Amino acid sequence: MKSELEQIPGIGPNMAEHLIAAGFPTVESLKGQDPEEVYLRDCATQGCEVDRCALYAYRLAVCYAESGGKLPPDKANWWDWKD
């Protein structure tokens, strides 16, 4: 079954599974979260350091959740959220 998290640009089935395992099963659950903390929880859940690209996707996902699905035009892809 497809997760509602997959409606977020850049979040496919694998990233949705990571988010769910880290305790963020819905778009709503990402509201008010610190993307860095989401990333650290993902790392803890996976038992290893997850690729930093996941952090960029989590930055996008939190923005998406907090803005009702609207992203800035220049921030529509996960790679737009790099350090």
Side-chain angles (χ1 to χ4, degrees), residues 10-53:
I11 302 296
N14 185 50
M15 292 302 295
E17 286 180 24
H18 280 239
L19 285 167
I20 292 166
F24 305 99
T26 63
V27 173
E28 184 71 24
S29 69
L30 290 168
K31 286 185 180 177
Q33 298 299 320
D34 176 346
E36 184 77 28
E37 290 299 317
V38 173
Y39 173 75
L40 292 174
R41 281 179 65 178
D42 184 19
C43 291
T45 302
Q46 300 299 319
C48 64
E49 186 173 338
V50 176
D51 190 294
R52 294 274 301 171
C53 293

